[in-house]
């Protein structure tokens, strides 16, 4: 195991893997995940529905003819990810994955796709990385920002980060993004969630604040909605409520 991996501190990628029923997590990740679940009992549903949204949205972008993808905050490989969804449509699609957890780096070792260990909060480190040579940024790219922007605090300029990434995309590119919200969480539960959020690293935002970062792009209908409801006609019905899932999603076209 990579010596940089701190098993005593919870990490979002490993905690998310725990909620999805994966095997790549440690006691600290499980304890953190359980504490959050105690305050928000539907958190596993949120993780599952966000994952399914990612798959549907990635497939949609591939169906529009996009053949290269930049997946930032990819997390630990698991079924239903970007690669699986995209390659069901376009087996030769090129994908560059990005994450800041050394354990994710380890799990990508030996896989054929390009991988960048970098932090979303430093977008130039991503865009200037040699591995980005696998993509032709002069042609459309599918930029995947699923369940990652809510780990950027307001004082870290999330709007500027999004703009830096969007400015690197050619017309015809698409952005897939999702973001947790506490819009529907009772005040007592919010207080409990905040107690498990040291340093405010997790920054849920309402749909309007999230959508504002993508002003000027063309939202794919139905626009910003719960991840459980975006193009979900083929999913098991009835769909979970926006209140239970607590995560908004959108797909937008760069013109």
């Amino acid at each position: 195991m990579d010596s940089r991996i701190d098993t005593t501190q919870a990490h979002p990628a490993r905690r998310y893997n725990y909620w999805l029923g994966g095997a790549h997590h440690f006691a600290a990740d499980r304890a953190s995940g359980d504490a959050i679940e105690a305050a928000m009992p539907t958190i596993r549903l949120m993780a599952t529905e966000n994952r399914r949204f990612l798959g549907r949205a990635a497939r949609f972008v591939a169906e529009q003819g996009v053949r290269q993808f930049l997946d930032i905050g990819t997390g630990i490989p698991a079924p239903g990810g970007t690669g699986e969804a995209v390659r069901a449509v376009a087996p030769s699609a090129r994908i560059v994955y990005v994450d800041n957890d050394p354990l994710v780096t380890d799990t990508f070792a030996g896989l054929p796709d390009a991988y960048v260990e970098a932090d979303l909060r430093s977008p130039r480190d991503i865009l200037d990385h040699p591995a980005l040579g696998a993509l032709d940024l002069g042609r459309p790219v599918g930029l995947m920002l699923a369940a990652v922007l809510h780990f950027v605090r307001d004082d870290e300029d999330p709007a500027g980060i999004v703009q830096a990434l969007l400015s690197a995309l050619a017309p015809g590119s698409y952005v897939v993004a999702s973001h947790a919200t506490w819009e529907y969480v009772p005040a007592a539960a919010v207080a409990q969630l905040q107690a498990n959020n040291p340093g405010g690293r997790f920054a849920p935002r309402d749909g309007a604040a999230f959508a504002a970062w993508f002003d000027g792009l063309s939202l794919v209908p139905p626009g910003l909605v719960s991840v459980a409801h975006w193009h979900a006609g083929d999913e098991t019905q009835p769909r979970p409520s926006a209140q239970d899932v607590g995560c908004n999603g959108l797909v937008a076209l760069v013109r």
Side-chain angles (χ1 to χ4, degrees), residues 113-183:
D113 292 305
Y115 177 82
V116 176
E117 186 177 321
D119 196 307
L120 171 63
R121 293 169 292 176
S122 299
R124 288 303 340 162
D125 289 349
I126 299 171
L127 296 172
D128 295 339
H129 196 281
L132 263 286
L135 306 180
D136 177 0
L137 296 183
R139 299 180 62 81
V141 172
L143 173 62
M144 317 301 289
L145 294 169
V148 65
L149 287 164
H150 48 230
F151 294 111
V152 181
R153 298 190 307 253
D154 287 343
D155 64 328
E156 294 168 327
D157 191 18
I161 290 168
V162 170
Q163 188 54 49
L165 294 169
L166 294 179
S167 67
L169 302 181
S173 296
Y174 284 85
V175 182
V176 172
S178 60
H179 197 297
T181 179
W182 288 348
E183 292 172 86

Side-chain angles (χ1 to χ4, degrees), residues 5 48 70 140 148 160 183 236:
I5 297 172
T48 300
L70 176 58
V148 65
E183 292 172 86
T236 302

